[in-house]
Amino acid sequence: MSRKGNCLDNACAENFFGLLKTELLYLQDFTSVEHFISELEDYIEWYNTKRIKLKLDGMSPVEYRLNAA
């Protein structure tokens, strides 16, 4: 941990939560907490396994790890 106020410590988490809010939270109206939790689990599954990233040569994170091995 660095000194208080160093934004670089939280940059990855802040980026993820910013994307989460803009891609999931602000685009839908949730009818219940259970509905939100199920959509959140689906989003995290998509984010970790299926999303296409240009930094990963246009592959999903799983495809990139399989090709790198």
Side-chain angles (χ1 to χ4, degrees):
M1 296 285 303
S2 64
R3 292 179 295 179
K4 182 178 178 181
N6 187 351
C7 63
L8 297 177
D9 285 345
N10 297 325
C12 293
E14 288 180 18
N15 183 40
F16 171 75
F17 285 113
L19 290 172
L20 175 73
K21 288 191 284 188
T22 57
E23 294 178 348
L24 177 71
L25 187 63
Y26 298 148
L27 297 178
Q28 295 186 30
D29 291 327
F30 300 103
T31 56
S32 66
V33 174
E34 292 80 17
H35 179 228
F36 171 72
I37 291 172
S38 69
E39 291 292 327
L40 179 63
E41 289 171 349
D42 291 342
Y43 178 81
I44 292 173
E45 174 70 23
W46 172 81
Y47 187 87
N48 286 331
T49 60
K50 299 174 185 151
R51 70 187 161 101
I52 303 298
K53 291 284 293 179
L54 292 177
K55 285 185 176 182
L56 302 179
D57 298 329
M59 293 183 273
S60 70
V62 172
E63 292 172 335
Y64 187 79
R65 284 189 293 261
L66 291 174
N67 286 335

Short mmCIF file of all heavy atoms in Angstrom, two decimals:
data_model
loop_
_atom_site.label_atom_id
_atom_site.label_comp_id
_atom_site.label_asym_id
_atom_site.label_seq_id
_atom_site.Cartn_x
_atom_site.Cartn_y
_atom_site.Cartn_z
N MET A 1 0.84 -1.17 0.00
CA MET A 1 0.00 0.00 0.00
C MET A 1 0.89 1.24 0.00
O MET A 1 1.88 1.29 0.69
CB MET A 1 -0.88 0.03 1.24
CG MET A 1 -1.87 -1.09 1.37
SD MET A 1 -3.29 -0.94 0.30
CE MET A 1 -3.95 0.61 0.76
N SER A 2 0.49 2.18 -0.77
CA SER A 2 1.24 3.43 -0.80
C SER A 2 0.54 4.47 0.07
O SER A 2 -0.42 4.17 0.76
CB SER A 2 1.36 3.91 -2.23
OG SER A 2 0.08 4.21 -2.73
N ARG A 3 1.01 5.66 -0.03
CA ARG A 3 0.44 6.73 0.79
C ARG A 3 -1.01 7.01 0.41
O ARG A 3 -1.46 6.69 -0.69
CB ARG A 3 1.26 7.99 0.61
CG ARG A 3 2.65 7.89 1.19
CD ARG A 3 3.38 9.16 0.96
NE ARG A 3 3.53 9.30 -0.50
CZ ARG A 3 4.12 10.31 -1.09
NH1 ARG A 3 4.61 11.29 -0.37
NH2 ARG A 3 4.23 10.37 -2.38
N LYS A 4 -1.72 7.64 1.30
CA LYS A 4 -3.10 8.03 1.07
C LYS A 4 -3.17 8.99 -0.12
O LYS A 4 -2.36 9.89 -0.26
CB LYS A 4 -3.65 8.70 2.32
CG LYS A 4 -5.08 9.11 2.21
CD LYS A 4 -5.56 9.71 3.51
CE LYS A 4 -6.99 10.17 3.40
NZ LYS A 4 -7.47 10.78 4.62
N GLY A 5 -4.14 8.77 -0.99
CA GLY A 5 -4.34 9.66 -2.12
C GLY A 5 -3.67 9.22 -3.39
O GLY A 5 -3.77 9.88 -4.41
N ASN A 6 -2.97 8.09 -3.37
CA ASN A 6 -2.32 7.59 -4.58
C ASN A 6 -3.35 6.80 -5.39
O ASN A 6 -3.75 5.71 -5.01
CB ASN A 6 -1.13 6.71 -4.22
CG ASN A 6 -0.33 6.33 -5.45
OD1 ASN A 6 -0.74 6.58 -6.57
ND2 ASN A 6 0.83 5.75 -5.22
N CYS A 7 -3.79 7.37 -6.50
CA CYS A 7 -4.86 6.76 -7.28
C CYS A 7 -4.42 5.51 -8.02
O CYS A 7 -5.26 4.73 -8.46
CB CYS A 7 -5.43 7.77 -8.26
SG CYS A 7 -4.22 8.31 -9.48
N LEU A 8 -3.14 5.28 -8.19
CA LEU A 8 -2.68 4.13 -8.96
C LEU A 8 -2.97 2.81 -8.27
O LEU A 8 -3.07 1.77 -8.91
CB LEU A 8 -1.18 4.25 -9.25
CG LEU A 8 -0.80 5.46 -10.11
CD1 LEU A 8 0.70 5.51 -10.28
CD2 LEU A 8 -1.50 5.43 -11.45
N ASP A 9 -3.12 2.83 -6.95
CA ASP A 9 -3.44 1.60 -6.22
C ASP A 9 -4.80 1.07 -6.61
O ASP A 9 -5.02 -0.13 -6.68
CB ASP A 9 -3.43 1.85 -4.71
CG ASP A 9 -2.03 1.99 -4.16
OD1 ASP A 9 -1.08 1.60 -4.87
OD2 ASP A 9 -1.90 2.48 -3.04
N ASN A 10 -5.76 1.95 -6.84
CA ASN A 10 -7.13 1.55 -7.07
C ASN A 10 -7.54 1.66 -8.53
O ASN A 10 -8.72 1.51 -8.85
CB ASN A 10 -8.07 2.42 -6.23
CG ASN A 10 -7.84 2.24 -4.76
OD1 ASN A 10 -7.53 1.15 -4.32
ND2 ASN A 10 -7.97 3.30 -4.01
N ALA A 11 -6.62 1.90 -9.44
CA ALA A 11 -6.97 2.17 -10.83
C ALA A 11 -7.71 1.00 -11.48
O ALA A 11 -8.72 1.21 -12.17
CB ALA A 11 -5.72 2.52 -11.62
N CYS A 12 -7.27 -0.21 -11.26
CA CYS A 12 -7.92 -1.37 -11.89
C CYS A 12 -9.34 -1.57 -11.35
O CYS A 12 -10.28 -1.80 -12.12
CB CYS A 12 -7.10 -2.63 -11.66
SG CYS A 12 -5.52 -2.59 -12.51
N ALA A 13 -9.49 -1.47 -10.06
CA ALA A 13 -10.81 -1.65 -9.45
C ALA A 13 -11.75 -0.52 -9.86
O ALA A 13 -12.92 -0.76 -10.19
CB ALA A 13 -10.70 -1.71 -7.94
N GLU A 14 -11.25 0.71 -9.88
CA GLU A 14 -12.10 1.83 -10.27
C GLU A 14 -12.51 1.71 -11.74
O GLU A 14 -13.64 2.05 -12.09
CB GLU A 14 -11.38 3.14 -10.01
CG GLU A 14 -11.28 3.47 -8.54
CD GLU A 14 -10.56 4.78 -8.28
OE1 GLU A 14 -10.44 5.59 -9.22
OE2 GLU A 14 -10.15 4.99 -7.14
N ASN A 15 -11.62 1.25 -12.59
CA ASN A 15 -11.95 1.06 -13.99
C ASN A 15 -13.04 0.00 -14.14
O ASN A 15 -14.01 0.20 -14.88
CB ASN A 15 -10.71 0.66 -14.78
CG ASN A 15 -11.00 0.53 -16.25
OD1 ASN A 15 -11.73 1.32 -16.83
ND2 ASN A 15 -10.43 -0.49 -16.86
N PHE A 16 -12.90 -1.12 -13.45
CA PHE A 16 -13.90 -2.18 -13.54
C PHE A 16 -15.27 -1.69 -13.06
O PHE A 16 -16.28 -1.90 -13.73
CB PHE A 16 -13.48 -3.41 -12.72
CG PHE A 16 -14.58 -4.42 -12.62
CD1 PHE A 16 -14.90 -5.22 -13.70
CD2 PHE A 16 -15.31 -4.56 -11.45
CE1 PHE A 16 -15.93 -6.15 -13.62
CE2 PHE A 16 -16.34 -5.48 -11.36
CZ PHE A 16 -16.64 -6.28 -12.45
N PHE A 17 -15.32 -1.04 -11.91
CA PHE A 17 -16.60 -0.58 -11.39
C PHE A 17 -17.21 0.52 -12.25
O PHE A 17 -18.43 0.62 -12.36
CB PHE A 17 -16.48 -0.15 -9.93
CG PHE A 17 -16.36 -1.32 -9.00
CD1 PHE A 17 -15.20 -1.55 -8.29
CD2 PHE A 17 -17.41 -2.21 -8.85
CE1 PHE A 17 -15.09 -2.63 -7.44
CE2 PHE A 17 -17.31 -3.30 -8.01
CZ PHE A 17 -16.14 -3.51 -7.30
N GLY A 18 -16.38 1.33 -12.89
CA GLY A 18 -16.90 2.32 -13.83
C GLY A 18 -17.54 1.65 -15.03
O GLY A 18 -18.63 2.04 -15.47
N LEU A 19 -16.89 0.62 -15.58
CA LEU A 19 -17.48 -0.13 -16.68
C LEU A 19 -18.74 -0.85 -16.25
O LEU A 19 -19.73 -0.89 -16.99
CB LEU A 19 -16.46 -1.15 -17.23
CG LEU A 19 -15.28 -0.59 -17.98
CD1 LEU A 19 -14.28 -1.70 -18.28
CD2 LEU A 19 -15.73 0.09 -19.25
N LEU A 20 -18.72 -1.43 -15.07
CA LEU A 20 -19.88 -2.14 -14.55
C LEU A 20 -21.09 -1.21 -14.47
O LEU A 20 -22.19 -1.56 -14.90
CB LEU A 20 -19.57 -2.72 -13.17
CG LEU A 20 -20.72 -3.39 -12.44
CD1 LEU A 20 -21.05 -4.72 -13.09
CD2 LEU A 20 -20.38 -3.58 -10.98
N LYS A 21 -20.88 -0.02 -13.96
CA LYS A 21 -21.99 0.92 -13.82
C LYS A 21 -22.52 1.37 -15.18
O LYS A 21 -23.73 1.42 -15.39
CB LYS A 21 -21.57 2.13 -13.00
CG LYS A 21 -21.41 1.81 -11.52
CD LYS A 21 -21.26 3.05 -10.68
CE LYS A 21 -19.87 3.62 -10.82
NZ LYS A 21 -19.61 4.73 -9.88
N THR A 22 -21.62 1.69 -16.12
CA THR A 22 -22.09 2.18 -17.42
C THR A 22 -22.66 1.08 -18.30
O THR A 22 -23.56 1.34 -19.09
CB THR A 22 -20.96 2.89 -18.18
OG1 THR A 22 -19.86 2.01 -18.35
CG2 THR A 22 -20.52 4.14 -17.44
N GLU A 23 -22.15 -0.14 -18.20
CA GLU A 23 -22.62 -1.21 -19.08
C GLU A 23 -23.75 -2.03 -18.49
O GLU A 23 -24.46 -2.71 -19.22
CB GLU A 23 -21.45 -2.15 -19.41
CG GLU A 23 -20.38 -1.49 -20.24
CD GLU A 23 -19.21 -2.41 -20.52
OE1 GLU A 23 -19.10 -3.48 -19.90
OE2 GLU A 23 -18.39 -2.04 -21.37
N LEU A 24 -23.95 -2.00 -17.19
CA LEU A 24 -24.99 -2.82 -16.58
C LEU A 24 -25.98 -1.98 -15.77
O LEU A 24 -27.17 -1.97 -16.07
CB LEU A 24 -24.37 -3.88 -15.67
CG LEU A 24 -25.35 -4.77 -14.91
CD1 LEU A 24 -26.06 -5.72 -15.86
CD2 LEU A 24 -24.65 -5.54 -13.82
N LEU A 25 -25.49 -1.27 -14.80
CA LEU A 25 -26.37 -0.62 -13.84
C LEU A 25 -27.23 0.48 -14.46
O LEU A 25 -28.43 0.55 -14.22
CB LEU A 25 -25.53 -0.06 -12.69
CG LEU A 25 -26.30 0.49 -11.50
CD1 LEU A 25 -27.12 -0.61 -10.84
CD2 LEU A 25 -25.34 1.10 -10.50
N TYR A 26 -26.64 1.35 -15.27
CA TYR A 26 -27.37 2.48 -15.82
C TYR A 26 -28.27 2.10 -16.99
O TYR A 26 -29.12 2.89 -17.38
CB TYR A 26 -26.42 3.58 -16.25
CG TYR A 26 -25.60 4.17 -15.12
CD1 TYR A 26 -24.33 4.64 -15.35
CD2 TYR A 26 -26.09 4.24 -13.82
CE1 TYR A 26 -23.56 5.18 -14.32
CE2 TYR A 26 -25.34 4.77 -12.80
CZ TYR A 26 -24.08 5.25 -13.06
OH TYR A 26 -23.33 5.78 -12.04
N LEU A 27 -28.10 0.92 -17.57
CA LEU A 27 -28.86 0.54 -18.75
C LEU A 27 -30.11 -0.27 -18.44
O LEU A 27 -30.91 -0.50 -19.34
CB LEU A 27 -27.97 -0.27 -19.71
CG LEU A 27 -26.76 0.47 -20.28
CD1 LEU A 27 -25.96 -0.46 -21.17
CD2 LEU A 27 -27.19 1.70 -21.04
N GLN A 28 -30.28 -0.73 -17.22
CA GLN A 28 -31.39 -1.61 -16.90
C GLN A 28 -32.15 -1.11 -15.68
O GLN A 28 -31.59 -0.44 -14.82
CB GLN A 28 -30.88 -3.03 -16.60
CG GLN A 28 -30.26 -3.71 -17.77
CD GLN A 28 -29.93 -5.15 -17.44
OE1 GLN A 28 -30.58 -5.78 -16.63
NE2 GLN A 28 -28.89 -5.66 -18.06
N ASP A 29 -33.42 -1.48 -15.64
CA ASP A 29 -34.22 -1.30 -14.43
C ASP A 29 -34.41 -2.66 -13.81
O ASP A 29 -34.91 -3.58 -14.45
CB ASP A 29 -35.58 -0.70 -14.78
CG ASP A 29 -35.47 0.73 -15.26
OD1 ASP A 29 -34.57 1.44 -14.77
OD2 ASP A 29 -36.27 1.13 -16.11
N PHE A 30 -33.99 -2.80 -12.57
CA PHE A 30 -34.06 -4.09 -11.89
C PHE A 30 -35.33 -4.16 -11.06
O PHE A 30 -35.69 -3.22 -10.37
CB PHE A 30 -32.82 -4.30 -11.02
CG PHE A 30 -31.55 -4.27 -11.80
CD1 PHE A 30 -30.74 -3.16 -11.78
CD2 PHE A 30 -31.18 -5.35 -12.58
CE1 PHE A 30 -29.57 -3.12 -12.52
CE2 PHE A 30 -30.02 -5.32 -13.32
CZ PHE A 30 -29.21 -4.21 -13.29
N THR A 31 -36.00 -5.31 -11.16
CA THR A 31 -37.27 -5.48 -10.45
C THR A 31 -37.08 -5.92 -9.02
O THR A 31 -37.95 -5.70 -8.19
CB THR A 31 -38.14 -6.50 -11.19
OG1 THR A 31 -37.41 -7.73 -11.32
CG2 THR A 31 -38.51 -6.00 -12.57
N SER A 32 -35.96 -6.57 -8.72
CA SER A 32 -35.70 -7.04 -7.36
C SER A 32 -34.20 -7.19 -7.16
O SER A 32 -33.41 -7.11 -8.11
CB SER A 32 -36.39 -8.39 -7.13
OG SER A 32 -35.81 -9.37 -7.95
N VAL A 33 -33.83 -7.43 -5.94
CA VAL A 33 -32.42 -7.66 -5.62
C VAL A 33 -31.94 -8.95 -6.27
O VAL A 33 -30.81 -9.01 -6.79
CB VAL A 33 -32.22 -7.70 -4.08
CG1 VAL A 33 -30.79 -8.08 -3.74
CG2 VAL A 33 -32.58 -6.37 -3.46
N GLU A 34 -32.78 -9.96 -6.30
CA GLU A 34 -32.40 -11.23 -6.93
C GLU A 34 -32.14 -11.05 -8.42
O GLU A 34 -31.22 -11.65 -8.98
CB GLU A 34 -33.49 -12.29 -6.70
CG GLU A 34 -33.63 -12.74 -5.26
CD GLU A 34 -34.42 -11.76 -4.40
OE1 GLU A 34 -35.14 -10.90 -4.95
OE2 GLU A 34 -34.29 -11.86 -3.17
N HIS A 35 -32.97 -10.23 -9.07
CA HIS A 35 -32.77 -9.95 -10.50
C HIS A 35 -31.44 -9.25 -10.71
O HIS A 35 -30.68 -9.58 -11.64
CB HIS A 35 -33.93 -9.10 -11.03
CG HIS A 35 -33.80 -8.75 -12.46
ND1 HIS A 35 -33.99 -7.47 -12.91
CD2 HIS A 35 -33.52 -9.50 -13.55
CE1 HIS A 35 -33.80 -7.45 -14.22
NE2 HIS A 35 -33.53 -8.67 -14.62
N PHE A 36 -31.12 -8.28 -9.86
CA PHE A 36 -29.84 -7.58 -9.97
C PHE A 36 -28.67 -8.54 -9.77
O PHE A 36 -27.69 -8.50 -10.51
CB PHE A 36 -29.76 -6.45 -8.95
CG PHE A 36 -28.39 -5.83 -8.88
CD1 PHE A 36 -27.92 -5.04 -9.90
CD2 PHE A 36 -27.57 -6.06 -7.78
CE1 PHE A 36 -26.65 -4.49 -9.85
CE2 PHE A 36 -26.31 -5.52 -7.72
CZ PHE A 36 -25.84 -4.72 -8.76
N ILE A 37 -28.76 -9.41 -8.76
CA ILE A 37 -27.66 -10.34 -8.48
C ILE A 37 -27.45 -11.30 -9.65
O ILE A 37 -26.31 -11.57 -10.04
CB ILE A 37 -27.93 -11.10 -7.17
CG1 ILE A 37 -27.80 -10.14 -5.99
CG2 ILE A 37 -26.98 -12.28 -7.00
CD1 ILE A 37 -28.23 -10.71 -4.66
N SER A 38 -28.51 -11.80 -10.25
CA SER A 38 -28.36 -12.71 -11.38
C SER A 38 -27.75 -11.99 -12.58
O SER A 38 -26.88 -12.54 -13.28
CB SER A 38 -29.70 -13.35 -11.76
OG SER A 38 -30.57 -12.40 -12.30
N GLU A 39 -28.17 -10.75 -12.84
CA GLU A 39 -27.57 -9.98 -13.94
C GLU A 39 -26.11 -9.65 -13.65
O GLU A 39 -25.28 -9.66 -14.56
CB GLU A 39 -28.36 -8.69 -14.18
CG GLU A 39 -29.74 -8.92 -14.74
CD GLU A 39 -29.72 -9.44 -16.16
OE1 GLU A 39 -28.81 -9.08 -16.93
OE2 GLU A 39 -30.62 -10.23 -16.49
N LEU A 40 -25.79 -9.36 -12.41
CA LEU A 40 -24.41 -9.08 -12.02
C LEU A 40 -23.53 -10.31 -12.23
O LEU A 40 -22.42 -10.20 -12.76
CB LEU A 40 -24.36 -8.62 -10.56
CG LEU A 40 -22.98 -8.31 -10.00
CD1 LEU A 40 -22.34 -7.15 -10.75
CD2 LEU A 40 -23.08 -8.00 -8.52
N GLU A 41 -24.00 -11.47 -11.83
CA GLU A 41 -23.24 -12.70 -12.04
C GLU A 41 -23.03 -12.97 -13.53
O GLU A 41 -21.93 -13.36 -13.94
CB GLU A 41 -23.95 -13.87 -11.38
CG GLU A 41 -23.89 -13.83 -9.87
CD GLU A 41 -24.77 -14.87 -9.21
OE1 GLU A 41 -25.60 -15.50 -9.89
OE2 GLU A 41 -24.62 -15.04 -7.98
N ASP A 42 -24.04 -12.73 -14.34
CA ASP A 42 -23.91 -12.90 -15.79
C ASP A 42 -22.89 -11.92 -16.36
O ASP A 42 -22.08 -12.27 -17.23
CB ASP A 42 -25.25 -12.72 -16.50
CG ASP A 42 -26.23 -13.82 -16.19
OD1 ASP A 42 -25.79 -14.90 -15.72
OD2 ASP A 42 -27.44 -13.60 -16.42
N TYR A 43 -22.92 -10.67 -15.89
CA TYR A 43 -21.98 -9.67 -16.38
C TYR A 43 -20.54 -10.04 -16.02
O TYR A 43 -19.63 -9.93 -16.85
CB TYR A 43 -22.32 -8.29 -15.80
CG TYR A 43 -21.34 -7.22 -16.25
CD1 TYR A 43 -21.46 -6.63 -17.49
CD2 TYR A 43 -20.28 -6.84 -15.43
CE1 TYR A 43 -20.56 -5.67 -17.92
CE2 TYR A 43 -19.38 -5.88 -15.85
CZ TYR A 43 -19.52 -5.29 -17.09
OH TYR A 43 -18.61 -4.36 -17.50
N ILE A 44 -20.32 -10.46 -14.79
CA ILE A 44 -18.97 -10.83 -14.36
C ILE A 44 -18.47 -12.04 -15.15
O ILE A 44 -17.31 -12.08 -15.55
CB ILE A 44 -18.92 -11.06 -12.84
CG1 ILE A 44 -19.14 -9.73 -12.12
CG2 ILE A 44 -17.61 -11.69 -12.42
CD1 ILE A 44 -19.27 -9.83 -10.62
N GLU A 45 -19.34 -13.01 -15.40
CA GLU A 45 -18.97 -14.16 -16.22
C GLU A 45 -18.56 -13.70 -17.62
O GLU A 45 -17.55 -14.14 -18.17
CB GLU A 45 -20.13 -15.15 -16.28
CG GLU A 45 -19.92 -16.31 -17.20
CD GLU A 45 -18.87 -17.30 -16.70
OE1 GLU A 45 -18.61 -17.33 -15.49
OE2 GLU A 45 -18.31 -18.02 -17.54
N TRP A 46 -19.36 -12.82 -18.22
CA TRP A 46 -19.05 -12.30 -19.55
C TRP A 46 -17.74 -11.52 -19.52
O TRP A 46 -16.90 -11.69 -20.41
CB TRP A 46 -20.19 -11.41 -20.04
CG TRP A 46 -19.86 -10.69 -21.29
CD1 TRP A 46 -19.91 -11.18 -22.56
CD2 TRP A 46 -19.37 -9.35 -21.40
NE1 TRP A 46 -19.50 -10.22 -23.44
CE2 TRP A 46 -19.16 -9.09 -22.76
CE3 TRP A 46 -19.11 -8.36 -20.47
CZ2 TRP A 46 -18.69 -7.87 -23.22
CZ3 TRP A 46 -18.63 -7.14 -20.92
CH2 TRP A 46 -18.44 -6.90 -22.28
N TYR A 47 -17.56 -10.67 -18.53
CA TYR A 47 -16.37 -9.82 -18.45
C TYR A 47 -15.10 -10.66 -18.33
O TYR A 47 -14.08 -10.34 -18.95
CB TYR A 47 -16.49 -8.87 -17.25
CG TYR A 47 -15.40 -7.85 -17.16
CD1 TYR A 47 -15.52 -6.64 -17.82
CD2 TYR A 47 -14.25 -8.09 -16.41
CE1 TYR A 47 -14.51 -5.69 -17.75
CE2 TYR A 47 -13.24 -7.15 -16.35
CZ TYR A 47 -13.38 -5.95 -17.01
OH TYR A 47 -12.38 -5.02 -16.95
N ASN A 48 -15.15 -11.72 -17.54
CA ASN A 48 -13.95 -12.52 -17.30
C ASN A 48 -13.66 -13.53 -18.39
O ASN A 48 -12.51 -13.96 -18.54
CB ASN A 48 -14.08 -13.26 -15.96
CG ASN A 48 -13.91 -12.35 -14.79
OD1 ASN A 48 -13.21 -11.35 -14.86
ND2 ASN A 48 -14.56 -12.67 -13.71
N THR A 49 -14.66 -13.95 -19.17
CA THR A 49 -14.42 -15.04 -20.11
C THR A 49 -14.71 -14.73 -21.57
O THR A 49 -14.06 -15.28 -22.44
CB THR A 49 -15.26 -16.27 -19.73
OG1 THR A 49 -16.65 -15.93 -19.77
CG2 THR A 49 -14.89 -16.78 -18.35
N LYS A 50 -15.66 -13.86 -21.86
CA LYS A 50 -16.13 -13.76 -23.24
C LYS A 50 -15.89 -12.42 -23.93
O LYS A 50 -16.00 -12.34 -25.15
CB LYS A 50 -17.63 -14.06 -23.29
CG LYS A 50 -17.93 -15.45 -22.82
CD LYS A 50 -19.41 -15.69 -22.74
CE LYS A 50 -19.65 -17.06 -22.14
NZ LYS A 50 -20.89 -17.15 -21.43
N ARG A 51 -15.58 -11.37 -23.21
CA ARG A 51 -15.45 -10.06 -23.85
C ARG A 51 -14.22 -10.02 -24.74
O ARG A 51 -13.19 -10.63 -24.46
CB ARG A 51 -15.39 -8.95 -22.81
CG ARG A 51 -14.10 -8.95 -22.02
CD ARG A 51 -14.14 -7.96 -20.90
NE ARG A 51 -13.11 -8.31 -19.97
CZ ARG A 51 -11.92 -7.71 -19.89
NH1 ARG A 51 -11.66 -6.70 -20.67
NH2 ARG A 51 -11.03 -8.12 -19.02
N ILE A 52 -14.34 -9.32 -25.85
CA ILE A 52 -13.25 -9.20 -26.81
C ILE A 52 -12.43 -7.95 -26.46
O ILE A 52 -12.99 -6.88 -26.28
CB ILE A 52 -13.82 -9.08 -28.24
CG1 ILE A 52 -14.70 -10.28 -28.57
CG2 ILE A 52 -12.71 -8.90 -29.25
CD1 ILE A 52 -14.00 -11.61 -28.55
N LYS A 53 -11.14 -8.12 -26.39
CA LYS A 53 -10.24 -7.01 -26.08
C LYS A 53 -9.26 -6.81 -27.22
O LYS A 53 -8.63 -7.77 -27.68
CB LYS A 53 -9.44 -7.30 -24.81
CG LYS A 53 -10.22 -7.33 -23.54
CD LYS A 53 -10.56 -5.96 -23.06
CE LYS A 53 -9.30 -5.23 -22.64
NZ LYS A 53 -9.51 -3.89 -22.19
N LEU A 54 -9.10 -5.57 -27.70
CA LEU A 54 -8.13 -5.30 -28.75
C LEU A 54 -6.71 -5.48 -28.24
O LEU A 54 -5.83 -5.89 -29.01
CB LEU A 54 -8.33 -3.88 -29.28
CG LEU A 54 -9.63 -3.66 -30.05
CD1 LEU A 54 -9.74 -2.20 -30.47
CD2 LEU A 54 -9.72 -4.58 -31.24
N LYS A 55 -6.48 -5.21 -26.95
CA LYS A 55 -5.14 -5.41 -26.39
C LYS A 55 -4.73 -6.89 -26.39
O LYS A 55 -3.55 -7.20 -26.33
CB LYS A 55 -5.07 -4.88 -24.96
CG LYS A 55 -5.00 -3.40 -24.86
CD LYS A 55 -4.82 -2.98 -23.42
CE LYS A 55 -4.65 -1.50 -23.29
NZ LYS A 55 -4.42 -1.09 -21.90
N LEU A 56 -5.72 -7.78 -26.46
CA LEU A 56 -5.44 -9.22 -26.48
C LEU A 56 -5.56 -9.77 -27.89
O LEU A 56 -5.94 -10.91 -28.10
CB LEU A 56 -6.40 -9.95 -25.54
CG LEU A 56 -6.38 -9.50 -24.08
CD1 LEU A 56 -7.41 -10.30 -23.28
CD2 LEU A 56 -5.01 -9.65 -23.47
N ASP A 57 -5.24 -8.94 -28.88
CA ASP A 57 -5.30 -9.33 -30.29
C ASP A 57 -6.70 -9.74 -30.72
O ASP A 57 -6.87 -10.66 -31.53
CB ASP A 57 -4.30 -10.45 -30.60
CG ASP A 57 -2.87 -10.02 -30.36
OD1 ASP A 57 -2.58 -8.82 -30.55
OD2 ASP A 57 -2.05 -10.87 -29.99
N GLY A 58 -7.71 -9.10 -30.20
CA GLY A 58 -9.08 -9.39 -30.60
C GLY A 58 -9.65 -10.69 -30.05
O GLY A 58 -10.63 -11.20 -30.56
N MET A 59 -9.03 -11.22 -29.01
CA MET A 59 -9.50 -12.47 -28.41
C MET A 59 -10.09 -12.19 -27.04
O MET A 59 -9.83 -11.16 -26.43
CB MET A 59 -8.34 -13.45 -28.26
CG MET A 59 -7.78 -13.95 -29.57
SD MET A 59 -6.49 -15.17 -29.32
CE MET A 59 -5.08 -14.10 -29.15
N SER A 60 -10.87 -13.14 -26.57
CA SER A 60 -11.37 -13.06 -25.20
C SER A 60 -10.22 -13.44 -24.26
O SER A 60 -9.24 -14.05 -24.69
CB SER A 60 -12.55 -13.99 -25.00
OG SER A 60 -12.13 -15.33 -25.04
N PRO A 61 -10.32 -13.10 -22.98
CA PRO A 61 -9.25 -13.46 -22.05
C PRO A 61 -8.97 -14.96 -21.99
O PRO A 61 -7.81 -15.38 -21.91
CB PRO A 61 -9.76 -12.94 -20.70
CG PRO A 61 -10.67 -11.82 -21.05
CD PRO A 61 -11.31 -12.22 -22.33
N VAL A 62 -10.01 -15.78 -22.08
CA VAL A 62 -9.80 -17.23 -22.05
C VAL A 62 -9.06 -17.69 -23.30
O VAL A 62 -8.11 -18.47 -23.22
CB VAL A 62 -11.16 -17.95 -21.91
CG1 VAL A 62 -11.00 -19.45 -22.07
CG2 VAL A 62 -11.78 -17.65 -20.56
N GLU A 63 -9.47 -17.20 -24.48
CA GLU A 63 -8.79 -17.58 -25.72
C GLU A 63 -7.34 -17.14 -25.69
O GLU A 63 -6.45 -17.88 -26.14
CB GLU A 63 -9.49 -16.94 -26.92
CG GLU A 63 -10.87 -17.46 -27.21
CD GLU A 63 -11.55 -16.65 -28.28
OE1 GLU A 63 -11.22 -15.48 -28.48
OE2 GLU A 63 -12.46 -17.22 -28.90
N TYR A 64 -7.08 -15.95 -25.17
CA TYR A 64 -5.71 -15.45 -25.12
C TYR A 64 -4.83 -16.31 -24.22
O TYR A 64 -3.72 -16.65 -24.57
CB TYR A 64 -5.71 -14.00 -24.62
CG TYR A 64 -4.36 -13.35 -24.69
CD1 TYR A 64 -3.88 -12.87 -25.90
CD2 TYR A 64 -3.57 -13.23 -23.55
CE1 TYR A 64 -2.63 -12.27 -25.98
CE2 TYR A 64 -2.33 -12.63 -23.62
CZ TYR A 64 -1.87 -12.15 -24.83
OH TYR A 64 -0.62 -11.57 -24.90
N ARG A 65 -5.37 -16.70 -23.05
CA ARG A 65 -4.59 -17.56 -22.16
C ARG A 65 -4.33 -18.93 -22.78
O ARG A 65 -3.25 -19.49 -22.62
CB ARG A 65 -5.31 -17.71 -20.82
CG ARG A 65 -5.20 -16.51 -19.93
CD ARG A 65 -5.73 -16.78 -18.55
NE ARG A 65 -7.15 -17.00 -18.53
CZ ARG A 65 -8.05 -16.09 -18.20
NH1 ARG A 65 -7.66 -14.89 -17.83
NH2 ARG A 65 -9.33 -16.36 -18.22
N LEU A 66 -5.31 -19.47 -23.49
CA LEU A 66 -5.12 -20.77 -24.13
C LEU A 66 -4.09 -20.70 -25.26
O LEU A 66 -3.31 -21.62 -25.45
CB LEU A 66 -6.45 -21.31 -24.66
CG LEU A 66 -7.47 -21.73 -23.61
CD1 LEU A 66 -8.78 -22.10 -24.27
CD2 LEU A 66 -6.94 -22.88 -22.78
N ASN A 67 -4.08 -19.60 -26.01
CA ASN A 67 -3.11 -19.44 -27.09
C ASN A 67 -1.72 -19.14 -26.58
O ASN A 67 -0.74 -19.46 -27.24
CB ASN A 67 -3.56 -18.35 -28.05
CG ASN A 67 -4.71 -18.79 -28.92
OD1 ASN A 67 -4.89 -19.98 -29.17
ND2 ASN A 67 -5.50 -17.85 -29.39
N ALA A 68 -1.61 -18.51 -25.42
CA ALA A 68 -0.31 -18.16 -24.86
C ALA A 68 0.39 -19.37 -24.24
O ALA A 68 1.60 -19.40 -24.14
CB ALA A 68 -0.46 -17.07 -23.81
N ALA A 69 -0.39 -20.35 -23.85
CA ALA A 69 0.18 -21.52 -23.17
C ALA A 69 0.85 -22.47 -24.12
O ALA A 69 0.76 -22.55 -25.25
CB ALA A 69 -0.89 -22.25 -22.40
#
